[in-house]
Amino acid sequence: QIREMWRRWRMSRRKERVKLDQIWAAFAEDAVYNRKAMCASARLVSSNLLMEMVPDIPVSQAERTLHNSRVEHLKESEPAFRVDEAHALLTGMEA
């Protein structure tokens, strides 16, 4: 986590990235500052769309932000692995 913070700080100093607040603000403005509508939106966001919405965002940051967002979304939306599922899988391996 410290490495990530250090990388962000260095890139911000060199003007190679925008702050996440700027990305959030771009989406808030697009949703007319309606947080519920913004968070409930099912619109797919591409790196090109992100670069259109957020001034000065580099391609690498747009792609990295979308990748990290997708990973977090999958973590939250996938059901947790349960013990009974593990038992069924392990039983199948013994046969």
Side-chain angles (χ1 to χ4, degrees), residues 6-94:
W6 179 250
R7 180 187 60 77
R8 286 180 181 170
W9 179 81
R10 277 194 340 252
M11 291 179 81
S12 292
R13 294 275 305 212
R14 294 184 298 211
K15 306 289 185 203
E16 295 174 353
R17 71 181 304 272
V18 298
K19 294 188 182 234
L20 297 177
D21 291 350
Q22 291 174 269
I23 297 171
W24 179 267
F27 280 95
E29 183 179 338
D30 189 55
V32 193
Y33 300 97
N34 183 340
R35 183 181 176 152
K36 286 184 181 180
M38 181 175 68
C39 292
S41 174
R43 177 175 62 170
L44 296 178
V45 179
S46 67
S47 55
N48 289 334
L49 176 63
L50 193 57
M51 290 187 301
E52 288 175 18
M53 292 178 68
V54 183
D56 300 326
I57 187 170
V59 177
S60 59
Q61 183 182 4
E63 291 173 351
R64 184 176 54 251
T65 301
L66 289 175
H67 172 75
N68 293 342
S69 176
R70 182 175 186 275
V71 167
E72 287 301 315
H73 174 71
L74 290 175
K75 279 183 193 175
E76 290 179 11
S77 62
E78 288 180 351
F81 195 68
R82 297 189 335 248
V83 173
D84 57 334
E85 292 172 347
H87 179 59
L89 290 172
L90 292 173
T91 303
M93 291 174 69
E94 289 177 1

